[in-house]
């Protein structure tokens, strides 16, 4: 039966081996295979020396068998290593489950002598879990580490099984059983130590079980088992620990690299330890116990059965419950508290325990139903996972596809430079791009490198690889970044692929911009945060943007907020070009939007760029009034620009959804430029997330009704504004909704805003109507 299951897994996965490196961890592992150096994250700390050793062997074999770019060879080799580990894990999982299977009578015989239906059922459920199914071909260490740790668990639990007392009064073992149990402890201890060198997290679900088995043996030859197990555990640890320290440059160098990685994890990860609240806890539990099944109904069903199984163990088999607690409890606590649970693959070690408990839950009702339910759950898991796995193997990762497109484009021309968000720097170390120079990518300051490049006089196009979740390019002229191509991987939206990065890439062909901002501007939530961290803002000193020289007339749109309280004074904003004030206006607390016309010749002068500065001061009083510039654009007077005017809330952001703004019940767009018809496209979230019925939404320009619709789903709403109507409303287009809510009235006592529609994107383009 196990052979049949292994054959099914092999045949279902061989056609779908990873076509490329994908997650940043897979890149780090591939770089480690090339040149092992933990200090430079080849791979990332703690180092994974056993995995890299196996990866070197697999890559050497794959390289001899296939002619392909080095990164593809590494991806295939590590993918095959994961698949072989999955096949080995089938045997190891059965060993775990059969050692914990209910026993009809005490026996010192091996539990492997007869096939146990419940153990086969739990193995099948585990293997068919979509998370296991996907990781069986992904070029990362999760499945190899899991397989070796599970083999260690199987050996230790077999010793545990042999040590089971034949009665409460007789806990002595026969000499043969004592020897066999001792051998299993020694082997299990050695495998546990090796598994830590393969994937360090395995320490949390192997060592506690080893300690339990040794403690359980007290009074039955414990000394020999403890000595032998300890010696083999130390031997296994030294087998990879010494080479790791030597390759890292010594203990101090290794600890420095490890400490740096730990600091980055705690600073950037979403951990319950660093963010202890009910919302984080709820998400952590969902991601750990439901998301691995990649289907909420399937995950909940298995979890309900597992809950019944937990009750069954507590009621009928507390010895097995103790073993289950040792093999999963410490890891679950560690995972929930100290790991970023958004990385769903970290929950893999929890899946076997859930599967075991689910089988026990079914057996509590009907022993005959175990095989039927296991088959149903397994089929459900495979049906869920199979099309996703096919999509995974159908095309390379987004960045790899972007680089293929770049190489094709290089046949017709080359850019002045290649630049990128910092998240792509490491993946590009594994790929040959063929573009020089590659500009530096300091974290969260990549746009400043572009600014320096342009300020030094370069006018050639820059190809920029952008993370679509980032919004710092809002600091660059939108006309310069209008030529772009997106490369995405829809499967990353699947729960079991949570945490994969980079998940998408946007390739910008940036032309020399008409303007770009430097520090202190808040043109997106991200840049607002950067400005705060840098201690910059218009109320703290002039903030600058560089504007390309031109002789023609231009128009500037500038908006933002006076961040003071309702009773605080207004802020006076002064806009200067090359040190000469061109506009001054006062803004009361709240939002503002201004349009400034710049006459012909105002931007003329020496050098390629004029320096535009914005500074704010309090109209009255000595204390500075906090302020932010949140909207800015400057184009020729013949161009169309637009901005958020009255009724819009501030921009918001999260990594999953990107940037959005809420409307209130009435929100106005201000469109400026020559008299021409425009088309407005709005990407709006379904209001049914917040209301029982879809709202009626209208668009008006002055008194003219432009369009109306009922919004009951996520959609793009497109409507046009005739030129004469737009001129008659002085460029104002108002969006109205008949439904809105106040978050404070729904449990968020701090949020008194009136929220109508959540809008993720707006495009204003020429309508082509004359």
């Amino acid at each position: 039966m196990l052979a049949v299951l292994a054959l099914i897994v092999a045949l279902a996965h061989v056609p779908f081996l990873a076509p490329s490196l994908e997650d940043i961890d897979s890149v780090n592992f591939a770089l480690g295979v090339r040149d092992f150096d933990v200090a430079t994250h080849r791979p990332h700390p703690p180092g994974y020396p056993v995995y890299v050793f196996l990866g070197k062997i697999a890559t050497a074999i794959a390289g001899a068998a296939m002619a392909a770019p080095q990164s593809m060879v590494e991806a295939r080799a590590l993918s095959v290593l994961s698949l072989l580990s999955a096949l080995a894990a089938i045997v190891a999982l059965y060993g775990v489950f059969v050692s914990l299977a209910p026993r009809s009578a005490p026996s010192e015989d091996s539990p492997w002598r007869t096939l146990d239906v419940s153990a086969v059922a739990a193995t099948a459920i585990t293997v068919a879990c979509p998370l296991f199914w996907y990781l069986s071909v992904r070029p990362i260490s999760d499945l190899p580490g899991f397989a070796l740790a599970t083999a260690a668990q199987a050996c230790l639990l077999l010793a545990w099984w042999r040590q089971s007392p034949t009665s409460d009064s007789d806990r002595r073992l026969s000499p043969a059983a004592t020897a066999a149990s001792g051998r299993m402890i020694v082997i299990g201890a050695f495998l546990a130590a090796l598994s830590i060198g393969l994937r360090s997290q395995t320490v949390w679900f192997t060592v506690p079980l080893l300690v339990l088995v040794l403690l359980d043996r007290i009074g039955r030859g414990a000394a020999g088992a403890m000595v032998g197990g300890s010696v083999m555990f130390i031997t296994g640890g030294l087998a990879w620990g010494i080479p790791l320290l030597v390759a890292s440059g010594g203990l101090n160098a290794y600890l420095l690299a490890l400490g740096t990685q730990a600091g980055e994890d705690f600073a950037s990860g979403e951990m319950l330890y660093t963010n202890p609240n009910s919302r984080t806890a709820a998400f952590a539990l969902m991601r750990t116990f439901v998301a691995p099944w990649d289907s909420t109904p399937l995950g909940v069903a298995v979890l309900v059965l597992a809950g019944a199984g937990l009750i069954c163990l507590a009621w009928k088999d507390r010895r097995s419950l103790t073993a289950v607690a040792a093999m999963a409890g410490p890891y679950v606590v560690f995972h929930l508290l100290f790991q970023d649970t958004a990385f769903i693959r970290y929950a893999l070690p929890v899946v076997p325990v859930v599967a075991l408990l689910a089988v026990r839950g079914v057996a509590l009702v009907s022993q005959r139903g175990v095989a039927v339910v296991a088959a149903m759950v397994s089929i459900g898991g495979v049906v869920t996972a199979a099309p996703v796995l096919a999509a995974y193997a159908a095309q390379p990762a987004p960045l790899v596809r972007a680089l293929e497109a770049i190489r094709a484009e290089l046949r017709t021309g080359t850019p002045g430079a290649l630049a990128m968000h910092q998240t792509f720097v490491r993946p590009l170390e594994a790929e040959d791009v063929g573009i020089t120079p590659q500009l530096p990518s300091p974290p969260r300051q990549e746009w400043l490198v572009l600014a320096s490049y342009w300020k030094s006089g370069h006018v050639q196009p820059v190809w920029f690889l952008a993370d679509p979740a980032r919004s710092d390019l809002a600091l660059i002229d939108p006309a310069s970044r209008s030529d772009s191509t997106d490369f995405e991987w829809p499967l990353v939206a699947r729960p079991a692929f949570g945490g994969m990065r980079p998940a998408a890439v946007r390739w910008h062909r940036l032309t020399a911009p008409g303007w770009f901002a430097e520090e202190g501007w808040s043109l997106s939530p991200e840049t607002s945060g950067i400005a705060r961290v840098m201690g910059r803002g218009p109320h703290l000193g002039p903030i600058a943007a560089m504007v390309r020289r031109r002789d023609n007339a231009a128009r500037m749109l500038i908006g933002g907020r006076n961040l003071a309280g309702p009773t605080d004074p207004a802020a006076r904003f002064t806009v200067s070009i090359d040190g000469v004030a061109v506009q001054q206006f006062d803004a009361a607390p709240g939002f503002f939007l201004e349009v400034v016309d710049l006459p012909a010749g105002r931007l003329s002068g020496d050098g390629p760029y004029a320096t535009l500065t914005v500074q704010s001061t309090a109209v009255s009083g000595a204390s500075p009034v906090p302020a932010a510039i949140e909207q800015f654009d400057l184009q020729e007077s013949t161009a169309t620009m637009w901005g958020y005017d009255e009724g819009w809330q501030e921009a918001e952001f999260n990594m999953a959804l990107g940037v959005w703004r809420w409307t209130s019940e009435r929100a106005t767009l201000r469109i400026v430029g020559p008299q021409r018809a425009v088309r407005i496209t709005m990407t709006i979230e379904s209001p049914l997330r917040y209301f029982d019925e879809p709202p009626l939404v209208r668009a008006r320009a002055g008194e003219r009704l432009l369009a109306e619709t009922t919004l009951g789903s996520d959609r793009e709403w497109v409507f046009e504004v005739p030129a004469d109507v737009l001129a008659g409303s002085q460029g104002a287009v108002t969006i109205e909704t008949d439904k809105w809510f106040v978050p404070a009235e729904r449990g968020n006592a701090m949020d008194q805003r009136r929220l109508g529609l959540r809008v993720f994107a707006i495009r204003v383009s020429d309508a082509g109507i004359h």
Side-chain angles (χ1 to χ4, degrees):
M1 184 64 73
L2 294 182
V4 172
L5 182 58
L7 180 61
I8 292 172
V9 170
L11 294 177
H13 286 83
V14 167
F16 305 115
L17 295 173
S20 69
L21 301 173
E22 24 104 325
D23 187 87
I24 188 67
D25 285 355
S26 70
V27 173
N28 288 336
F29 288 133
L31 293 174
V33 168
R34 296 181 194 180
D35 180 20
F36 186 81
D37 185 357
V38 178
T40 59
H41 284 220
R42 303 168 71 97
H44 47 292
Y48 310 87
V50 176
Y51 181 71
V52 170
F53 174 74
L54 296 175
K56 284 180 178 290
I57 296 174
T59 300
I61 296 173
M66 61 185 292
Q70 185 175 9
S71 62
M72 182 179 291
V73 172
E74 292 157 347
R76 286 298 174 89
L78 297 181
S79 182
V80 170
L81 184 57
S82 290
L83 180 54
L84 294 176
S85 299
L87 301 179
I90 292 174
V91 179
L93 285 166
Y94 179 82
V96 169
F97 297 137
V98 77
S99 297
L100 294 172
R103 300 170 62 186
S104 57
S107 172
E108 292 186 356
D109 292 334
S110 170
W112 290 74
R113 289 184 178 274
T114 58
L115 192 69
D116 186 274
V117 174
S118 66
V120 173
T123 302
I125 291 174
T126 302
V127 171
C129 174
L131 179 60
F132 186 102
W133 205 257
Y134 304 146
L135 289 174
S136 295
V137 292
R138 292 189 61 188
I140 45 183
S141 67
D142 296 74
L143 220 309
F146 170 83
L148 191 56
T150 304
Q153 287 182 333
C155 293
L156 295 172
L157 287 171
L158 182 57
W160 169 267
W161 187 90
R162 291 182 181 279
Q163 292 169 192
S164 299
T166 57
S167 68
D168 291 340
S169 59
D170 183 8
R171 291 177 53 85
R172 301 186 63 183
L173 297 174
S174 67
T178 298
S181 175
R183 285 194 297 271
M184 289 297 100
I185 291 174
V186 169
I187 296 172
F190 182 71
L191 294 179
L194 282 184
S195 73
I196 297 169
L198 219 165
R199 187 164 179 82
S200 61
Q201 292 94 326
T202 63
V203 67
W204 296 101
F205 56 100
T206 55
V207 172
L209 184 61
L210 173 62
V211 172
L212 174 68
V213 172
L214 290 175
L215 292 177
D216 183 69
R217 195 177 171 90
I218 291 176
R220 293 174 289 169
M226 285 187 174
V227 172
S230 299
V231 169
M232 293 308 293
F233 185 83
I234 294 172
T235 301
L238 292 176
W240 56 262
I242 292 176
L244 173 63
L245 293 179
V246 171
S248 301
L251 178 61
N252 290 336
Y254 176 75
L255 292 178
L256 178 62
L258 185 64
T260 301
Q261 179 67 47
E264 292 175 358
D265 290 344
F266 275 95
S268 61
E270 185 181 347
M271 301 180 187
L272 190 57
Y273 174 77
T274 57
N275 191 21
N277 58 61
S278 57
R279 182 180 181 277
T280 304
F283 272 103
L285 291 170
M286 284 289 292
R287 291 164 175 166
T288 301
F289 294 103
V290 177
W293 302 93
D294 214 21
S295 163
T296 299
L298 179 63
V300 170
V302 173
L303 207 57
V304 169
L305 294 175
L310 185 61
I311 295 173
C312 176
L313 288 188
W315 178 24
K316 293 185 174 182
D317 192 356
R318 294 184 179 177
R319 180 173 173 81
S320 292
L321 179 63
T322 302
V324 167
M327 62 187 279
Y331 182 81
V332 169
V333 172
F334 166 75
H335 173 65
L336 292 176
L337 288 178
F338 300 109
Q339 293 196 119
D340 187 345
T341 56
F343 295 85
I344 306 301
R345 57 190 175 92
Y346 295 169
L348 178 64
V350 182
V351 173
V353 173
V354 173
L356 170 66
L357 294 176
V359 168
R360 287 296 190 97
V362 176
L364 183 64
V365 178
S366 170
Q367 187 63 46
R368 294 182 178 180
V370 166
V372 175
V373 173
M376 292 174 61
V377 172
S378 300
I379 291 172
V382 173
V383 168
T384 299
V388 180
L389 186 64
Y392 169 82
Q395 56 185 353
L399 180 59
V400 175
R401 284 184 279 126
L403 295 179
E404 290 174 352
I406 286 175
R407 294 186 188 104
E409 188 76 11
L410 285 173
R411 301 189 188 106
T412 59
T414 59
L418 178 68
M420 67 203 73
H421 279 137
Q422 199 270 339
T423 190
F424 300 115
V425 172
R426 175 47 59 95
L428 259 67
E429 291 183 24
E431 303 285 348
D432 180 19
V433 186
I435 299 177
T436 56
Q438 292 185 25
L439 302 182
S441 300
R444 300 296 171 184
Q445 296 184 20
E446 296 93 340
W447 98 96
L448 289 177
V449 174
L450 293 174
S452 297
Y453 178 82
W454 288 317
K455 287 171 68 175
S456 65
H458 294 284
V459 295
Q460 302 94 334
V462 175
W463 289 357
F464 190 92
L465 298 174
D467 181 350
R470 298 279 303 278
S471 58
D472 59 323
L473 295 187
L475 296 166
I476 298 171
D477 181 6
S480 170
R481 46 189 169 89
S482 59
D483 183 12
S484 65
T485 305
D486 285 349
F487 298 87
E488 299 176 333
W489 222 354
L491 62 85
V492 299
R494 304 290 307 191
F497 278 90
M500 180 184 282
R501 73 253 193 255
V505 58
R506 179 170 295 146
W507 172 27
H508 286 282
R509 275 80 69 185
L510 300 175
T511 57
W515 62 268
F516 54 89
E518 297 186 314
E519 299 97 330
W521 298 72
S522 300
L523 302 187
S524 72
E526 178 186 352
T527 62
S528 177
I530 293 172
R532 285 195 299 272
V533 170
M534 299 178 80
R536 299 296 304 274
H539 60 293
L540 300 173
I543 59 174
M546 308 306 294
V547 180
R548 184 166 292 281
R549 298 286 186 189
R550 66 199 78 186
D551 296 327
N552 298 334
R555 182 174 288 113
M556 176 175 60
L557 184 150
I558 183 168
R561 272 189 291 172
N562 175 342
L563 296 167
T567 61
D568 290 326
R572 178 161 296 156
F573 290 84
T574 302
V575 181
S576 302
I577 295 177
D578 294 333
V580 178
V582 297
Q583 183 75 3
Q584 191 173 78
F585 57 88
D586 294 346
F591 295 93
F592 65 86
L593 180 66
E594 297 286 332
V595 177
V596 180
D597 287 317
L598 301 174
R602 188 64 196 82
L603 289 170
S604 300
D606 297 329
Y609 291 100
T611 300
L612 181 148
T613 59
V614 182
Q615 185 170 15
S616 67
T617 57
V619 171
S620 62
S623 299
V625 175
I629 300 299
E630 298 175 331
Q631 299 185 74
F632 182 82
D633 199 1
L634 190 151
Q635 303 293 341
E636 302 284 340
S637 59
T638 56
T640 298
M641 298 187 295
W642 65 274
Y644 298 97
D645 208 338
E646 297 177 350
W648 290 91
Q649 308 294 350
E650 70 273 16
E652 300 177 68
F653 167 82
N654 69 33
M655 291 297 294
L657 299 176
V659 178
W660 69 88
R661 282 181 188 259
W662 282 95
T663 72
S664 56
E665 65 269 35
R666 288 172 54 89
T668 299
L669 294 173
R670 180 71 57 184
I671 302 172
V672 298
Q675 184 172 331
R676 61 166 63 104
V678 298
R679 177 179 294 111
I680 298 177
T681 304
M682 303 179 65
T683 303
I684 307 173
E685 180 187 40
S686 172
L688 293 182
R689 289 193 61 182
Y690 312 99
F691 307 108
D692 295 332
E693 297 179 355
L696 178 64
V697 182
R698 295 185 174 93
R700 298 183 184 275
E703 297 300 319
R704 174 78 170 268
L705 179 65
L706 301 171
E708 67 177 18
T709 187
T710 299
L711 285 176
S713 63
D714 296 342
R715 59 173 286 192
E716 283 194 345
W717 186 34
V718 183
F719 58 90
E720 296 183 352
V721 189
D724 60 331
V725 174
L726 187 61
S729 69
Q730 297 182 328
V733 176
T734 300
I735 311 301
E736 302 174 349
T737 176
D738 66 352
K739 289 182 171 57
W740 50 271
F741 69 100
V742 177
E745 298 173 357
R746 297 186 176 185
N748 187 348
M750 301 298 293
D751 194 345
Q752 299 292 330
R753 296 176 301 165
R754 296 160 74 127
L755 306 181
L757 304 172
R758 184 150 74 157
V759 181
F760 285 95
I762 295 178
R763 296 190 302 278
V764 177
S765 56
D766 291 347
I769 300 175
H770 303 285

